[in-house]
Amino acid sequence: MPKRSTQTYSSEDAPDTDAKIYVYYCKFSGNVALITDALLDSMPVRRTDKSRVIDTSKHSVRMQGELSGAKLLKRPEGKVEKQYRYSCGALPVAYKSEPKGRYIYVMDGAVSAYSNVEEQAAEGASGAAKETPPIPPCIQATKAGTVQIAVEVDDSAPRAAILRVTADEVGIQVSTEGSKSQDLGEKITEYLGKVLRLRLAQMKVEKGWSVRSKLIICEDITLEEAHKRLMAEYEDSKKHILPNYAQVAKEQKKEEQQEFLNKMSRVGMHVQ
């Protein structure tokens, strides 16, 4: 097992005390994967596997652990690529082509700028000092002064509930009971209207990035209010509506890990 290194920044080792520091978390375990002054979304993208490329001669980077041994990958046209990987648990999050190389490649879909809600809840339950959690990117302010919430919907549940709040979306389930003529958008606004304390006229449903996703545009509510009310409903759902929440979360994480492994396999990357 590779040695783990403690990931901290101090005034002595920070390259620029005025530089903004970004913390990225493993999307599956929720653990810190890397700390850097590089904004990943602005870093170059490697065409081969869509990894984000960080030049360590220009940016400071602290990884979660030390490099593992080399992995050989088959690429198109018979080419072979060698990677030295950084992993969080069983899954890699980044790699180098040489142990002392200047470039770190952060794998596509492996990290998030927002930590798992489950981890934050566990820290609160353990008695640790609670700070106001950051508002995830799935809840955003628009130029029109409204609040946009990205949701992913399961419409086959017996009762409405919030399943998760992540960087990418608010996962909700809506009840199959009631009028058959009521469409999915109406079910969503009816439930979220109660959660957010908004009238139907203050909410609008727009198409999302997939069949099950929607963008909810809300008027007369702030980012902080929307986040606080969604999180309150999420905690209530875990206690009263989702008694098997832990098993559901475990199965979901397994599915996400398998999806990530399948994605890497399609671009010629094999986890050993």
Side-chain angles (χ1 to χ4, degrees):
M1 180 181 293
K3 294 181 180 178
R4 299 290 182 185
S5 55
T6 302
Q7 304 309 316
T8 57
Y9 267 103
S10 67
S11 58
E12 289 81 12
D13 60 16
D16 181 356
T17 54
D18 293 327
K20 184 163 185 176
I21 300 300
Y22 302 94
V23 180
Y24 293 95
Y25 302 84
C26 173
K27 209 167 184 179
F28 305 109
S29 70
N31 296 326
V32 174
L34 68 149
I35 303 172
T36 178
D37 61 359
L39 178 61
L40 280 187
D41 287 346
S42 66
M43 294 296 101
V45 178
R46 187 185 180 200
R47 291 183 180 179
T48 306
D49 57 12
K50 297 184 179 179
S51 295
R52 292 286 179 171
V53 186
I54 302 178
D55 185 346
T56 58
S57 69
K58 299 178 180 178
H59 298 281
S60 296
V61 183
R62 288 291 187 89
M63 297 302 300
Q64 184 264 352
E66 296 184 358
L67 285 173
S68 62
K71 303 291 182 184
L72 298 178
L73 308 176
K74 290 183 180 180
R75 292 300 193 193
E77 301 177 358
K79 295 181 180 179
V80 177
E81 178 181 327
K82 185 181 289 186
Q83 291 183 357
Y84 297 86
R85 294 176 171 177
Y86 295 95
S87 298
C88 280
L91 296 177
V93 295
Y95 63 88
K96 283 186 173 184
S97 56
E98 299 176 358
K100 296 184 179 180
R102 62 188 274 192
Y103 298 107
I104 293 178
Y105 301 86
V106 181
M107 294 176 174
D108 182 38
V111 300
S112 169
Y114 185 70
S115 65
N116 285 1
V117 170
E118 291 87 345
E119 183 180 0
Q120 294 175 0
E123 290 173 353
S126 67
K130 295 178 69 175
E131 297 181 358
T132 302
I135 297 175
C138 64
I139 306 172
Q140 297 183 354
T142 69
K143 292 181 179 179
T146 58
V147 171
Q148 174 182 288
I149 304 171
V151 302
E152 189 167 78
V153 187
D154 175 5
D155 60 351
S156 60
R159 294 184 63 182
I162 292 183
L163 302 174
R164 62 189 177 277
V165 180
T166 71
D168 300 315
E169 81 269 335
V170 176
I172 69 172
Q173 65 181 31
V174 291
S175 174
T176 54
E177 299 176 357
S179 173
K180 293 183 179 180
S181 63
Q182 189 179 34
D183 66 19
L184 182 59
E186 291 174 337
K187 290 181 180 180
I188 294 171
T189 53
E190 181 180 343
Y191 172 56
L192 289 183
K194 294 177 182 177
V195 172
L196 299 171
R197 303 172 202 167
L198 295 176
R199 299 187 303 276
L200 296 183
Q202 295 172 300
M203 306 173 68
K204 181 172 66 174
V205 179
E206 295 184 353
K207 290 183 179 179
W209 58 95
S210 68
V211 175
R212 290 188 171 275
S213 66
K214 302 291 181 183
L215 297 177
I216 314 301
I217 311 301
C218 306
E219 299 177 353
D220 304 321
I221 191 171
T222 66
L223 278 176
E224 292 75 14
E225 289 171 338
H227 182 228
K228 183 178 179 180
R229 293 169 188 176
L230 287 168
M231 291 303 299
E233 177 68 8
Y234 171 63
E235 292 299 328
D236 186 70
S237 295
K238 283 199 297 182
K239 290 179 183 178
H240 303 107
I241 302 178
L242 305 174
N244 62 337
Y245 172 78
Q247 183 62 30
V248 171
K250 185 177 180 181
E251 291 175 359
Q252 182 187 21
K253 188 168 289 187
K254 269 187 176 180
E255 291 175 1
E256 290 177 344
Q257 289 176 345
Q258 189 57 51
E259 183 180 349
F260 181 61
L261 294 175
N262 292 341
K263 184 177 181 180
M264 290 195 295
S265 179
R266 287 196 294 271
V267 295
M269 302 177 71
H270 305 285
V271 179
Q272 299 179 9

